[in-house]
Amino acid sequence: MLLFLHSLRPKAKPSSLIISSSSLTLSFFLSFSSSPSSVTSTLSMATSDESSLRKALADKQSAVEAQGNAVRGLKSSSAASKPEIDAAVATLNALKLDKTSIERQLHALISDGNGGAVSREAFRQAVVNTLERRLFYIPSFKIYRGVAGLYDYGPPGCSVKSNVLAFWRQHFVLEENMLEVDCPCVTPEVVLKASGHVDKFTDLMVKDEKTGTCYRADHLLKDYCNEKLQKDLSISSDKAAELKHLLATLDDLSAEELGAKIKEFGIVAPDTKNPLSDPYPFNLMFQTSIGPSGLSPGYMRPETAQGIFVNFRDLYYYNGNKLPFAAAQIGQAFRNEISPRQGLLRVREFTLAEIEHFVDPDDKSHPKYSEVADLEFLMFPRHEQVSGQSAKRIRLGEAVSKGIVNNETLGYFIGRVYLFLTRLGIDKERLRFRQHLANEMAHYAADCWDAEIESSYGWIECVGIADRSAYDLRAHSEKSGIQLVAQEKFSEPKEVEKLVITPVKKELGLAFKGSQKNVVEALEAMNEKEALDVKAALESKGEVEFEVCTLGKTLTIKKNMVSIQKEKKKEHQRVFTPSVIEPSFGIGRIIYCLFEHSFYTRPSKGGDEQLNVFRFPPLVAPIKCTVFPLVQRPEYEEVAKVISKSLTAAGISHKIDITGTSIGKRYARTDELGVPFAITVDGTSSVTIRERDSKDQVRVDVEKAASVVREVAEGQTTWADVWSTFPHHSSAATDD
Amino acid sequence: MLLFLHSLRPKAKPSSLIISSSSLTLSFFLSFSSSPSSVTSTLSMATSDESSLRKALADKQSAVEAQGNAVRGLKSSSAASKPEIDAAVATLNALKLDKTSIERQLHALISDGNGGAVSREAFRQAVVNTLERRLFYIPSFKIYRGVAGLYDYGPPGCSVKSNVLAFWRQHFVLEENMLEVDCPCVTPEVVLKASGHVDKFTDLMVKDEKTGTCYRADHLLKDYCNEKLQKDLSISSDKAAELKHLLATLDDLSAEELGAKIKEFGIVAPDTKNPLSDPYPFNLMFQTSIGPSGLSPGYMRPETAQGIFVNFRDLYYYNGNKLPFAAAQIGQAFRNEISPRQGLLRVREFTLAEIEHFVDPDDKSHPKYSEVADLEFLMFPRHEQVSGQSAKRIRLGEAVSKGIVNNETLGYFIGRVYLFLTRLGIDKERLRFRQHLANEMAHYAADCWDAEIESSYGWIECVGIADRSAYDLRAHSEKSGIQLVAQEKFSEPKEVEKLVITPVKKELGLAFKGSQKNVVEALEAMNEKEALDVKAALESKGEVEFEVCTLGKTLTIKKNMVSIQKEKKKEHQRVFTPSVIEPSFGIGRIIYCLFEHSFYTRPSKGGDEQLNVFRFPPLVAPIKCTVFPLVQRPEYEEVAKVISKSLTAAGISHKIDITGTSIGKRYARTDELGVPFAITVDGTSSVTIRERDSKDQVRVDVEKAASVVREVAEGQTTWADVWSTFPHHSSAATDD
């Protein structure tokens, strides 16, 4: 999966940084708004103002200093007349006034940004307070003072989560006939060695040299740069540009470069001011040991994708040996963060939902592509980011036909992800698809797009959609020695020239005894280039050093041990490693953004307080309906029970609230949980149904109440239809 | 949770074994059929036969030896006449014949059991082959030669699993208004220290002293005993009884006792015949480290229950500070088995679904108890087990009113579990509720029942339903210092005599400085007995040694530091620790048993092969319906697409199969996946719907096909209704 890519999968380091200055400017704001690897340009004008103000300030400072020297010169010189001195002082004062004015402007400009941050922070606090108070989530193991980066979903959060996952299964697995699998979290080392995680799934860490406290090296550098840029008016425009460049390229710095910067800036441990160690890589996987011997290292999986890749052969067979097909998995993934931040957005354990869609690399068309081609939404292609433009509305079909999106299948999934997220209730205007820049992408990837959702933390990468080519299947083929390939049968045989590798088993057996089998397999597994190199070496030197990775050794292969020949052959089929297109969903991130997008406040009836509301669509709402007997009367409670039974039979989650609290309070309490409908029992033959956001109320017969709610909750009808069908109600008693 | 209790939660060792000889007899068969901690008596008659046969065999052997000696004596004596010798030889031969006959009988008796085992083994092999071939499950990481005890669910298995979980959520969480939570798997040590898992969640292990290979000590002893009992005809009846006693009490043996037995029997490492180490406890939790410092040990949770207990305070508040209420959690749990056996039944990672129902210990009635009181099913109370009887059908209401089941709430959950399992398709006749014997139960537990399902491995514990009293909440209260209690407000105040503990903070502050707060809390947390002891010591000696567990120290408390007095007080409420009743479901075990109960074979049309069928009810079937165009014709495929669209809209999972294979083959293929209905498109206006088990077929209009399947799949109607409503079909073309 591609979420949080910078440390996730092995990636090619770009040989030189190709980011233009305009993208640097942009990236500053990205970092400012704490968004991971995202770029925004809404404030780019302000930024260029900032730059010229810093320049003007520095110029004015020089002018003030020069004029100050001049005044001092005049004063100490006997030749200067009083009017001359007075005039010079007046000029100095005017310069100082100018300088103060520029400082004020610069300060205002920066704190304007901060003002935004402050109001975002206040909004977030309001959402998070409501979420925690109503147990949408709870810091895990709270009574033991918790563990950073671990959260529990409480009852309403758990319900939202299971609704989101049920819809995911419906929208992707069922509608697309995907093969869902469910693999364990405990994973043996060999699998994650093949995938690259054992060696490369790391973040750079520094330690407080006295206390041993650990910090993420890039976080410290980032905080330093942001602090300087936001609070220090005296830094030069060049210095500011340098810091912004650093922020933009933070993910690309090596351990040495990061260490050098930390030294250069004199960054110390934030808590103790102690010196820091050099940065070194820390593997982010939770390590454990499988079985009692202590000899089989294992890890808690950092993603669910590998479970699919290792099963490719069986799944391909299950699918009747046909491509394309997709496999999917929902499950827990783990990531031992050095220092978790940002609440639910960066946690140590999270639910992923991943799809691996296997296709013929020569044919990435998609049969259902036309169903999404006309969707139009915010896209942010690579070119627009680098040239400093902003995301723009593009028709998906256009993006594919112009080659902005690499292929139809990738485009199809972008469209399906758009539909999935917006149906959950994600705001269309705060959702964009951002293409990875060249330096963000793994070297083998054909194209990558992230669905980013804007939240109070900035633009958050919530879904990664990547064409990963044949990388993963090849890696596991090589490591396991099991070919993970597909076949295309030709309608008639084709003649091809092929390199044929024929190990001479007898000679290999004599030379390597019990290891013979591994050597044979390794020779046969050579790709064309390797085989040609070996052939050349054998022909020139008669022998070659050859690495057999399954043995972990390099052996000497002699000319008589293998024959490598080009031969013309008739082929009846083509054997190839499929490409994989991978949409990978960070479920917790999506849910958190959904919480923010759904939250609003409105004044209470008396206007004396602000009431919180989550405008969840029924699909997602933790409870679809509440049933309130208006007052505590046995006959009302009886009706409430009858309706409750019908709702249960219809599979509509609901809650009866028979407390004597005022109906307005009860509405407010459930609005805060995002319950879309309330049935108030205020009679024995008919009842009142109220919709959460409009607060509109209709009168419905007792027998019909459950089915009306079911139909509108399941989307078979709309509230507007209900509103136009049934008599309206506006009694003061049930009004809130 | 109570699954696999013997090593799960701290449990009192019974001071003496109170198992009667008849229960020993029974328990032998339990072990024989590899069932964990279960008892059966169906073969008890055979067993008493076995015992008398062994006795007869030993007697006959002695007689043969004695007669042999006599013959030798006669032969060597010159006084014996030939007829005398011939007569003695004839007697000897007759005795030998008798002995052979008894040996044959004993052998037959034992191999009769073995014959059963063989046919069970063959049945299991047939089920497992089908399950693995159709990817219901797959050994995890197969291309890397797998890891013992880890399995993937492939597409149909994954679908069955998510259907089972969805129904669990419907049947328990929604219908009972439970508070569902979702907590992380990664758990800090302190939580599992409090729960007792760090110290006591162990199995006893021995190591091959040369190779280091690990074995479960009890497994080796068990295998030895079973082998002896099944294959060695020469052991005495007493020896056989001793071995059976050992098998029955295996779970109660200490490391020393196990070690002594292993030495006594000369048991060696099975693979190498090397000597074995003494047994020592191996903790079954997967250990890891949280965060980068390496200083915060953590474990992968061994059960989900702890996540609920630590959240009790918040959940109680969420429930309006009212009891009773239940919280529930579905999630992964982990158990680092020493040597996993029994396929899906004993694995290293599994899905648990657990309920913690919190009640007032003084009132364990349940408002919905009457809804289940009339259910009647197989129960196996403690008394029946100990007195050698078998499980019998008992009305639940009777079991509760007679006090066999401890209380109404426990009874209610037993009833709900029965409904849950049988609705999934578990065979009523192969499901029983077995009460724990006194020596199986934790000392604090009020009563425990296991839902056991009979499979080819014997009776398997699949759901544990336990009244755990206040143990878990108290353990976390003590460890965390946070009171996990409930309040009952009195309608009018009650006068009570109470022990009032008043720490003198000033004195404690002077004496213990920064630790004052911990000391105050520890003093206040004393229970009545502890406080009275402290009071007595202070009054007699003026000071007392006092352990403050949050400090890990023992301090000296002087008389002036705390006042402990009995006082009369008016109380307005009662504060108490709720009891918890815990139904805990091993989802993988239930699913495996369901696979076995659903599997059958029937001859193919030609009678030349056996076809496999899973008779899953629609509720759990991985796919509800297939759509088959009878032959490859565009107009049929068009109809198939239309029907497929309607099925998708109705939320019915289905699959189109347009291969040209014969319809019979296609039916067989989907019967093997347990798909209950097939729509065969053999016309453009009407189609054929076929039911899997009866193979009955009806004709239905194209427009109605999807809704007919939906109604019967969702249980709104039955196949019998469909059969009586629509015209029947028996065309040879679609017959299989």
Side-chain angles (χ1 to χ4, degrees):
Chain A
M1 62 122 199
L2 274 171
L3 286 173
F4 344 125
L5 178 107
H6 72 96
S7 55
L8 229 183
R9 290 258 181 88
K11 154 182 120 163
K13 288 270 172 202
S15 52
S16 67
L17 289 166
I18 49 144
I19 296 184
S20 73
S21 66
S22 63
S23 86
L24 294 182
T25 309
L26 302 173
S27 297
F28 161 55
F29 285 95
L30 125 73
S31 307
F32 181 69
S33 64
S34 312
S35 152
S37 20
S38 72
V39 176
T40 178
S41 73
T42 47
L43 295 175
S44 62
M45 206 167 78
T47 310
S48 74
D49 281 358
E50 184 205 325
S51 173
S52 58
L53 280 172
R54 285 200 193 270
K55 218 176 174 69
L57 185 63
D59 290 350
K60 210 53 83 179
Q61 177 65 30
S62 310
V64 167
E65 279 163 20
Q67 187 65 18
N69 288 338
V71 169
R72 273 188 293 283
L74 285 172
K75 282 185 174 171
S76 65
S77 145
S78 53
S81 69
K82 182 146 190 313
E84 254 180 322
I85 294 176
D86 286 348
V89 167
T91 307
L92 177 61
N93 286 341
L95 281 171
K96 281 185 178 169
L97 269 180
D98 284 357
K99 188 191 146 206
T100 309
S101 153
I102 297 171
E103 276 179 344
R104 215 176 283 131
Q105 283 177 61
L106 181 56
H107 191 78
L109 185 72
I110 296 173
S111 50
D112 209 33
N114 273 336
V118 166
S119 76
R120 280 199 300 274
E121 179 74 32
F123 171 77
R124 185 193 310 147
Q125 222 39 63
V127 182
V128 164
N129 284 347
T130 309
L131 291 172
E132 292 207 26
R133 189 164 38 76
R134 301 309 303 270
L135 298 199
F136 278 87
Y137 69 89
I138 313 162
S140 299
F141 315 113
K142 212 167 98 176
I143 62 170
Y144 292 103
R145 273 163 243 109
V147 175
L150 293 179
Y151 294 90
D152 299 341
Y153 288 92
C158 194
S159 181
V160 167
K161 184 179 168 189
S162 74
N163 292 337
V164 168
L165 291 178
F167 180 57
W168 192 88
R169 205 169 249 137
Q170 172 66 35
H171 186 79
F172 291 105
V173 179
L174 292 183
E175 285 200 27
E176 309 282 350
N177 258 309
M178 292 177 179
L179 308 182
E180 190 179 350
V181 299
D182 180 16
C183 308
C185 302
V186 174
T187 305
E189 184 169 58
V190 62
V191 174
L192 296 160
K193 193 90 189 166
S195 68
H197 287 88
V198 171
D199 297 324
K200 303 200 179 157
F201 187 62
T202 57
D203 272 348
L204 291 168
M205 176 161 94
V206 289
K207 270 195 180 179
D208 180 320
E209 286 197 339
K210 294 194 179 148
T211 66
T213 307
C214 305
Y215 302 94
R216 252 181 75 170
D218 60 339
H219 279 179
L220 293 186
L221 190 55
K222 182 174 167 182
D223 292 347
Y224 172 88
C225 294
N226 280 329
E227 175 89 12
K228 269 276 167 211
L229 285 166
Q230 285 162 43
K231 306 241 169 103
D232 189 347
L233 299 183
S234 72
I235 57 169
S236 69
S237 166
D238 284 355
K239 182 73 182 174
E242 185 204 332
L243 294 178
K244 288 171 191 175
H245 177 86
L246 250 184
L247 282 170
T249 55
L250 219 46
D251 287 351
D252 296 314
L253 295 187
S254 67
E256 293 68 33
E257 290 163 336
L258 260 173
K261 282 292 162 199
I262 287 174
K263 282 230 162 57
E264 181 189 331
F265 295 151
I267 299 174
V268 291
D271 303 321
T272 60
K273 311 295 170 206
N274 289 333
L276 293 166
S277 73
D278 287 334
Y280 60 97
F282 171 73
N283 192 298
L284 296 173
M285 292 192 291
F286 284 99
Q287 193 173 2
T288 190
S289 183
I290 304 175
S293 70
L295 301 173
S296 306
Y299 300 91
M300 303 312 298
R301 63 179 176 195
E303 58 177 17
T304 67
Q306 301 306 323
I308 296 176
F309 295 134
V310 298
N311 280 319
F312 171 78
R313 210 172 42 152
D314 279 344
L315 294 170
Y316 179 59
Y317 170 77
Y318 186 84
N319 201 52
N321 291 333
K322 282 201 184 65
L323 284 186
F325 74 90
Q329 180 164 203
I330 298 173
Q332 293 302 90
F334 303 81
R335 192 186 158 102
N336 196 10
E337 290 286 349
I338 294 169
S339 52
R341 295 176 166 194
Q342 300 189 321
L344 286 186
L345 293 180
R346 195 167 279 280
V347 291
R348 286 180 164 149
E349 181 175 339
F350 45 95
T351 301
L352 281 182
E354 299 192 289
I355 295 165
E356 308 298 329
H357 181 93
F358 297 100
V359 286
D360 184 337
D362 294 347
D363 177 12
K364 294 184 178 173
S365 64
H366 194 288
K368 288 163 77 182
Y369 167 69
S370 63
E371 292 178 19
V372 299
D374 283 333
L375 290 173
E376 203 177 295
F377 45 77
L378 285 175
M379 298 187 84
F380 202 6
R382 193 174 298 147
H383 173 262
E384 273 68 14
Q385 298 169 56
V386 177
S387 63
Q389 299 168 58
S390 52
K392 57 187 181 188
R393 294 180 66 84
I394 305 182
R395 202 176 61 85
L396 184 55
E398 191 188 313
V400 173
S401 65
K402 284 191 176 161
I404 298 170
V405 170
N406 184 282
N407 58 70
E408 269 192 11
T409 299
L410 194 62
Y412 179 71
F413 279 110
I414 290 175
R416 292 290 292 169
V417 168
Y418 171 81
L419 292 173
F420 173 73
L421 293 173
T422 51
R423 281 180 195 161
L424 287 182
I426 292 295
D427 180 356
K428 288 180 174 58
E429 302 307 319
R430 300 171 70 195
L431 165 63
R432 71 183 185 192
F433 288 81
R434 189 182 71 80
Q435 189 173 32
H436 280 203
L437 297 173
N439 70 326
E440 286 178 86
M441 227 163 42
H443 63 99
Y444 48 78
D447 195 6
C448 299
W449 292 77
D450 287 340
E452 293 186 335
I453 305 177
E454 199 186 23
S455 79
S456 66
Y457 290 104
W459 286 95
I460 302 300
E461 172 193 355
C462 291
V463 186
I465 309 151
D467 183 334
R468 298 178 52 77
S469 75
Y471 179 80
D472 308 279
L473 291 182
R474 284 222 181 101
H476 286 295
S477 285
E478 275 171 29
K479 190 80 178 172
S480 68
I482 305 277
Q483 289 305 301
L484 303 176
V485 294
Q487 295 89 32
E488 183 200 4
K489 297 228 157 45
F490 298 141
S491 45
E492 52 188 60
K494 289 185 186 172
E495 178 154 297
V496 289
E497 196 181 61
K498 257 208 120 175
L499 206 62
V500 178
I501 303 169
T502 318
V504 182
K505 293 193 182 168
K506 197 184 136 204
E507 298 294 336
L508 292 166
L510 285 171
F512 306 117
K513 310 258 157 45
S515 310
Q516 185 227 38
K517 192 162 160 278
N518 301 60
V519 182
V520 167
E521 283 169 359
L523 287 168
E524 287 173 342
M526 286 188 291
N527 64 31
E528 181 158 324
K529 189 182 168 306
E530 288 162 353
L532 287 174
D533 289 350
V534 167
K535 182 181 164 73
L538 289 177
E539 279 165 9
S540 63
K541 291 182 281 173
E543 61 178 48
V544 66
E545 293 300 294
F546 182 71
E547 196 196 340
V548 181
C549 60
T550 53
L551 294 172
K553 278 195 229 171
T554 297
L555 304 171
T556 305
I557 300 289
K558 302 225 168 94
K559 205 170 174 180
N560 62 346
M561 297 178 184
V562 62
S563 121
I564 300 173
Q565 299 300 338
K566 282 210 167 168
E567 289 178 14
K568 285 208 167 162
K569 272 194 142 186
K570 282 217 166 180
E571 293 213 326
H572 298 265
Q573 61 177 10
R574 175 180 147 242
V575 177
F576 58 95
T577 305
S579 279
V580 64
I581 288 166
E582 178 191 74
S584 170
F585 299 70
I587 297 297
R589 291 185 161 198
I590 294 171
I591 289 175
Y592 178 77
C593 291
L594 183 62
F595 288 153
E596 282 204 1
H597 287 203
S598 304
F599 184 81
Y600 66 97
T601 58
R602 58 185 175 203
S604 65
K605 199 184 170 194
D608 48 345
E609 54 174 331
Q610 287 293 311
L611 303 175
N612 304 316
V613 190
F614 283 105
R615 67 165 82 75
F616 299 127
L619 179 70
V620 173
I623 298 167
K624 310 303 175 207
C625 181
T626 43
V627 183
F628 296 141
L630 180 60
V631 288
Q632 289 180 318
R633 246 189 247 169
E635 63 270 33
Y636 284 6
E637 286 178 18
E638 203 39 55
V639 170
K641 271 187 200 161
V642 168
I643 292 176
S644 165
K645 266 209 162 154
S646 318
L647 288 169
T648 300
I652 299 296
S653 63
H654 63 284
K655 222 182 155 86
I656 303 190
D657 182 348
I658 54 160
T659 54
T661 323
S662 83
I663 197 74
K665 280 229 174 89
R666 282 186 275 173
Y667 283 152
R669 218 143 63 183
T670 57
D671 288 348
E672 206 173 52
L673 287 177
V675 182
F677 306 106
I679 301 176
T680 299
V681 180
D682 45 10
T684 53
S685 62
S686 68
V687 293
T688 300
I689 303 181
R690 175 234 195 211
E691 194 273 337
R692 176 194 59 212
D693 298 301
S694 61
K695 297 194 281 177
D696 284 340
Q697 306 184 11
V698 295
R699 300 287 306 168
V700 176
D701 288 351
V702 168
E703 305 76 53
K704 280 193 190 157
S707 71
V708 167
V709 169
R710 182 181 64 77
E711 279 170 22
V712 61
E714 290 183 349
Q716 287 148 23
T717 178
T718 63
W719 178 255
D721 291 336
V722 174
W723 183 244
S724 65
T725 309
F726 294 94
H728 300 178
H729 178 80
S730 56
S731 139
T734 58
D735 199 310
D736 56 331
Chain B
M1 63 120 195
L2 274 172
L3 285 176
F4 345 123
L5 177 108
H6 72 95
S7 54
L8 227 185
R9 292 258 181 86
K11 152 182 120 162
K13 287 267 175 204
S15 52
S16 68
L17 289 168
I18 48 145
I19 296 183
S20 73
S21 66
S22 63
S23 87
L24 294 181
T25 309
L26 302 174
S27 298
F28 161 56
F29 284 96
L30 126 73
S31 307
F32 182 69
S33 66
S34 314
S35 153
S37 19
S38 73
V39 175
T40 179
S41 74
T42 47
L43 296 177
S44 61
M45 207 167 77
T47 310
S48 73
D49 280 358
E50 184 204 327
S51 173
S52 57
L53 282 172
R54 285 199 194 271
K55 220 178 174 67
L57 185 63
D59 292 349
K60 210 54 86 181
Q61 176 64 30
S62 310
V64 166
E65 279 161 20
Q67 188 64 18
N69 289 337
V71 170
R72 271 187 296 283
L74 285 173
K75 281 186 175 169
S76 64
S77 148
S78 52
S81 68
K82 180 149 194 307
E84 255 181 323
I85 293 176
D86 286 350
V89 168
T91 307
L92 176 61
N93 285 340
L95 282 170
K96 279 187 179 165
L97 268 178
D98 283 0
K99 189 191 144 204
T100 309
S101 154
I102 299 172
E103 276 178 346
R104 214 176 283 130
Q105 283 177 60
L106 180 57
H107 191 79
L109 185 74
I110 297 174
S111 50
D112 207 36
N114 273 336
V118 167
S119 77
R120 283 199 298 274
E121 179 73 32
F123 171 78
R124 185 195 308 148
Q125 223 36 67
V127 182
V128 164
N129 284 347
T130 310
L131 291 172
E132 291 206 25
R133 189 166 36 78
R134 299 311 302 269
L135 297 200
F136 278 87
Y137 69 89
I138 312 162
S140 300
F141 316 114
K142 211 167 98 176
I143 62 170
Y144 292 102
R145 274 162 243 109
V147 176
L150 294 178
Y151 293 90
D152 299 342
Y153 288 92
C158 193
S159 180
V160 167
K161 184 180 170 188
S162 75
N163 291 337
V164 168
L165 291 177
F167 180 57
W168 193 88
R169 204 168 250 138
Q170 172 67 32
H171 185 78
F172 291 106
V173 179
L174 292 183
E175 285 198 25
E176 309 282 349
N177 258 309
M178 292 176 179
L179 308 182
E180 190 178 350
V181 299
D182 180 16
C183 309
C185 301
V186 175
T187 305
E189 185 170 56
V190 62
V191 173
L192 296 162
K193 194 90 188 163
S195 68
H197 286 89
V198 171
D199 296 323
K200 303 199 179 156
F201 187 62
T202 56
D203 271 347
L204 291 168
M205 178 161 93
V206 289
K207 270 196 180 176
D208 181 318
E209 286 197 336
K210 294 195 179 147
T211 66
T213 307
C214 304
Y215 302 93
R216 253 179 75 170
D218 59 340
H219 278 180
L220 294 187
L221 191 54
K222 182 174 167 182
D223 292 347
Y224 172 86
C225 294
N226 280 330
E227 176 90 8
K228 270 274 167 210
L229 285 166
Q230 285 163 42
K231 305 240 169 105
D232 191 344
L233 299 183
S234 72
I235 56 170
S236 69
S237 168
D238 284 355
K239 182 71 183 177
E242 186 205 331
L243 294 177
K244 288 172 190 174
H245 178 86
L246 250 182
L247 283 170
T249 55
L250 220 49
D251 288 353
D252 296 313
L253 296 185
S254 68
E256 292 68 32
E257 290 163 335
L258 259 173
K261 283 293 164 197
I262 287 174
K263 281 228 162 60
E264 182 189 331
F265 295 151
I267 299 174
V268 292
D271 303 322
T272 61
K273 312 297 169 202
N274 289 333
L276 294 166
S277 73
D278 286 334
Y280 59 97
F282 171 72
N283 194 297
L284 295 174
M285 292 192 292
F286 283 99
Q287 190 172 2
T288 189
S289 183
I290 305 175
S293 69
L295 301 173
S296 306
Y299 300 90
M300 302 314 297
R301 63 179 175 194
E303 58 177 17
T304 67
Q306 302 306 323
I308 295 176
F309 296 133
V310 300
N311 280 320
F312 171 78
R313 208 172 46 154
D314 279 345
L315 293 170
Y316 179 59
Y317 169 78
Y318 186 84
N319 200 52
N321 291 334
K322 281 199 185 69
L323 284 187
F325 74 90
Q329 180 164 203
I330 297 172
Q332 293 303 90
F334 303 82
R335 190 188 162 100
N336 196 9
E337 291 286 348
I338 294 169
S339 52
R341 294 175 167 195
Q342 301 189 320
L344 285 186
L345 294 180
R346 194 166 282 280
V347 291
R348 285 180 164 146
E349 180 174 340
F350 45 95
T351 301
L352 280 182
E354 298 193 289
I355 295 165
E356 308 297 328
H357 181 92
F358 298 100
V359 286
D360 184 337
D362 295 346
D363 177 12
K364 293 183 180 174
S365 64
H366 195 287
K368 289 163 77 184
Y369 167 68
S370 64
E371 292 178 19
V372 299
D374 283 332
L375 290 173
E376 203 178 296
F377 45 78
L378 286 176
M379 298 187 84
F380 202 6
R382 195 174 298 146
H383 174 263
E384 273 68 14
Q385 297 169 56
V386 177
S387 63
Q389 299 168 57
S390 52
K392 56 187 182 188
R393 294 179 66 83
I394 305 181
R395 202 177 59 85
L396 184 56
E398 192 189 312
V400 172
S401 65
K402 286 192 174 162
I404 299 171
V405 170
N406 184 282
N407 59 70
E408 269 192 11
T409 299
L410 194 61
Y412 179 71
F413 278 111
I414 289 175
R416 293 290 293 170
V417 168
Y418 172 81
L419 292 173
F420 173 73
L421 293 173
T422 51
R423 281 182 194 158
L424 286 183
I426 293 294
D427 181 355
K428 287 180 176 58
E429 303 305 321
R430 300 171 72 194
L431 165 64
R432 71 181 183 192
F433 288 82
R434 190 182 70 80
Q435 190 172 31
H436 280 203
L437 296 173
N439 71 324
E440 285 179 85
M441 226 162 45
H443 62 99
Y444 48 77
D447 194 7
C448 300
W449 292 77
D450 287 340
E452 294 185 335
I453 305 177
E454 198 186 24
S455 80
S456 66
Y457 291 104
W459 287 96
I460 302 301
E461 171 193 354
C462 290
V463 186
I465 309 151
D467 182 334
R468 300 178 51 78
S469 75
Y471 179 80
D472 309 279
L473 291 181
R474 284 224 180 99
H476 285 295
S477 285
E478 274 171 30
K479 190 80 178 176
S480 68
I482 305 279
Q483 288 306 299
L484 303 177
V485 292
Q487 295 90 31
E488 182 200 4
K489 294 229 158 50
F490 298 140
S491 45
E492 52 188 60
K494 290 185 187 172
E495 179 153 294
V496 288
E497 196 182 63
K498 257 209 120 174
L499 206 63
V500 178
I501 303 168
T502 319
V504 182
K505 294 196 182 165
K506 198 182 136 205
E507 298 295 334
L508 291 166
L510 285 170
F512 306 119
K513 311 261 157 39
S515 310
Q516 185 227 35
K517 193 162 158 276
N518 301 60
V519 182
V520 167
E521 284 169 358
L523 287 169
E524 288 172 341
M526 285 188 290
N527 64 30
E528 182 158 321
K529 191 185 165 307
E530 287 162 353
L532 286 174
D533 289 349
V534 166
K535 181 181 166 71
L538 289 177
E539 278 165 10
S540 62
K541 292 181 280 176
E543 62 178 49
V544 66
E545 293 301 292
F546 181 72
E547 194 196 339
V548 181
C549 62
T550 54
L551 295 171
K553 275 194 232 173
T554 298
L555 304 172
T556 305
I557 299 291
K558 302 224 169 97
K559 207 171 169 179
N560 62 346
M561 294 178 185
V562 60
S563 123
I564 300 173
Q565 301 299 337
K566 282 209 165 168
E567 288 178 14
K568 285 209 168 165
K569 270 198 141 181
K570 284 217 166 183
E571 292 214 325
H572 299 264
Q573 61 176 11
R574 176 181 145 240
V575 177
F576 60 94
T577 305
S579 279
V580 64
I581 289 166
E582 177 191 76
S584 170
F585 299 70
I587 297 299
R589 289 184 163 202
I590 294 171
I591 290 175
Y592 178 77
C593 291
L594 184 62
F595 287 154
E596 281 204 4
H597 287 201
S598 305
F599 184 81
Y600 66 98
T601 58
R602 59 185 173 201
S604 65
K605 199 184 170 195
D608 49 344
E609 54 175 332
Q610 286 294 312
L611 302 175
N612 304 315
V613 189
F614 282 107
R615 67 165 80 77
F616 298 128
L619 179 71
V620 286
I623 298 166
K624 310 304 176 206
C625 182
T626 42
V627 183
F628 296 140
L630 179 62
V631 289
Q632 289 179 319
R633 247 190 246 165
E635 62 271 34
Y636 285 4
E637 286 178 18
E638 203 39 56
V639 171
K641 271 189 199 157
V642 168
I643 292 176
S644 165
K645 265 209 161 152
S646 316
L647 287 169
T648 300
I652 299 296
S653 63
H654 63 284
K655 220 180 157 85
I656 303 191
D657 181 349
I658 54 162
T659 54
T661 324
S662 83
I663 198 74
K665 281 233 173 83
R666 282 186 274 174
Y667 284 152
R669 219 145 61 185
T670 57
D671 288 348
E672 206 173 51
L673 287 176
V675 182
F677 306 106
I679 300 175
T680 300
V681 181
D682 45 10
T684 51
S685 62
S686 68
V687 294
T688 299
I689 303 183
R690 177 238 194 206
E691 194 273 338
R692 175 195 57 209
D693 298 300
S694 62
K695 299 194 278 177
D696 284 340
Q697 307 185 9
V698 295
R699 299 287 306 166
V700 176
D701 288 351
V702 167
E703 305 76 51
K704 281 192 189 160
S707 71
V708 167
V709 168
R710 183 180 63 76
E711 280 169 22
V712 61
E714 289 183 350
Q716 288 147 23
T717 179
T718 63
W719 178 254
D721 291 337
V722 174
W723 183 244
S724 65
T725 310
F726 295 94
H728 300 178
H729 179 80
S730 57
S731 139
T734 59
D735 198 309
D736 56 328

